[in-house]
Amino acid sequence: MLCSYYRSVADVCRKLNINRAQFNRYLNGTSKPSSHTLERICDFFGVEPAEIYLPREHFHQIVQVRPRQRTERAVYASHIARLQHQTNGRFDKYLGYYYEYYHSMSAPGKVLRGLVHIFSHDGAVYHERLERFPQHANLDETYKCKYVGSTFYLNDRIFLVDYESLTGNEIAQTILFPTYRNKVARLSGLMLGVSSGNQRAIACARVVFEFLGTNIDVRKAMRLCGLFDPQAGEIDATILKVIDNSPHKDQHHFYTIPL
């Protein structure tokens, strides 16, 4: 009945990335999906696992009262699932921890060093970005930002889309060049976000990710994060060159600087 809302069973199988023959066994009752697969199927259709095993008439009544909500949820879930499927297998060497460097959108003239963790979970890739910098009134107290989001590899580019989870007041996007070396060292790209200042200015900045490893002392790494004066010599000169936001001659758009 749920499949009838789509063009065909084959269309559902493609969107779910499930083998058609196996899915047919679920439909005719000769096999039951694992708990993980059942969660995927129910999330796709917008129903609960407990509901899908209800008697047919009871289930039919429940679904009929919420067709629009169910189908809209399924459409958006299928978009994300397709992006995550395209990312599968392409992120193995990029998983781990990074320092991120860019000119702060909230503290002009300062370079921000934050910590990024890219990791896989249930066949998809996600990330966290952690930033800390002193409060304006008290240098001994720190202000923290935590961004969480999804990471995608599409057509030879790395996309990170996240939101600030502590305040919920910003969505940011970072696009990076991949590396063609066996080992990841640094990645460069552009970040689009919003300043935390009162004017909430929209800003774009060049950014560098510096790979730290897959197993690090996170507390120690976080202690080295913060705001830095680019003239003080604490940030590598080659990184400062790549994150320089000065306009380039004869360019009509704001481009990243390849490493």
Side-chain angles (χ1 to χ4, degrees):
M1 189 190 75
L2 293 174
C3 290
S4 69
Y5 285 88
Y6 292 83
R7 290 179 297 177
S8 65
V9 173
D11 182 44
V12 172
C13 291
R14 281 193 296 270
K15 288 180 167 62
L16 278 168
N17 192 30
I18 290 180
N19 178 270
R20 172 68 184 273
Q22 182 62 42
F23 195 73
N24 283 341
R25 287 192 282 271
Y26 300 153
L27 293 179
N28 61 33
T30 59
S31 176
K32 287 187 177 182
S34 66
S35 58
H36 172 69
T37 302
L38 180 62
E39 286 283 352
R40 285 178 54 208
I41 293 172
C42 290
D43 188 61
F44 175 79
F45 286 118
V47 298
E48 300 299 325
E51 294 174 338
I52 210 165
Y53 284 119
L54 290 172
R56 180 180 178 82
E57 290 304 316
H58 189 182
F59 180 76
H60 186 77
Q61 292 172 1
I62 289 176
V63 171
Q64 277 193 321
V65 301
R66 55 181 180 190
R68 177 170 297 184
Q69 176 185 6
R70 177 183 54 74
T71 54
E72 287 181 354
R73 180 180 173 186
V75 168
Y76 290 118
S78 68
H79 287 318
I80 300 301
R82 183 163 61 251
L83 291 174
Q84 290 173 336
H85 175 65
Q86 289 176 301
T87 297
N88 278 345
R90 299 188 177 187
F91 250 105
D92 292 349
K93 72 177 182 179
Y94 296 103
L95 301 179
Y97 292 87
Y98 298 78
Y99 277 140
E100 63 172 358
Y101 298 88
Y102 65 93
H103 281 272
S104 172
M105 300 173 185
S106 305
K110 300 290 186 181
V111 172
L112 189 146
R113 177 196 280 153
L115 184 66
V116 181
H117 182 206
I118 300 177
F119 59 94
S120 63
H121 177 71
D122 282 346
V125 181
Y126 304 94
H127 68 273
E128 292 182 348
R129 295 196 297 115
L130 304 172
E131 299 175 351
R132 63 187 292 273
F133 39 89
Q135 297 275 26
H136 295 297
N138 187 347
L139 295 179
D140 293 327
E141 295 183 7
T142 57
Y143 179 76
K144 295 181 180 179
C145 294
K146 180 180 180 181
Y147 297 83
V148 296
S150 295
T151 313
F152 306 102
Y153 194 109
L154 299 172
N155 200 23
D156 213 26
R157 293 292 180 266
I158 296 170
F159 296 82
L160 295 87
V161 182
D162 50 55
Y163 80 105
E164 210 292 304
S165 63
L166 301 181
T167 60
N169 65 0
E170 179 191 1
I171 292 176
Q173 180 178 8
T174 303
I175 305 177
L176 302 169
F177 285 114
T179 181
Y180 300 102
R181 299 173 181 174
N182 291 330
K183 293 185 178 180
V184 179
R186 291 174 179 172
L187 307 172
S188 67
L190 293 178
M191 173 187 293
L192 179 66
V194 178
S195 165
S196 61
N198 293 333
Q199 295 185 345
R200 307 261 308 141
I202 302 172
C204 183
R206 294 186 173 104
V207 62
V208 165
F209 277 33
E210 183 178 37
F211 186 67
L212 301 177
T214 57
N215 187 16
I216 68 168
D217 186 332
V218 175
R219 290 181 179 273
K220 181 180 179 180
M222 279 300 299
R223 286 196 294 268
L224 297 177
C225 293
L227 292 173
F228 299 87
D229 183 344
Q231 307 301 324
E234 297 175 279
I235 305 296
D236 190 300
T238 58
I239 291 178
L240 292 176
K241 182 178 180 180
V242 178
I243 64 172
D244 181 6
N245 291 322
S246 301
H248 289 194
K249 185 179 179 181
D250 299 327
Q251 287 188 354
H252 300 285
H253 299 87
F254 193 67
Y255 293 95
T256 189
I257 301 176
L259 293 173

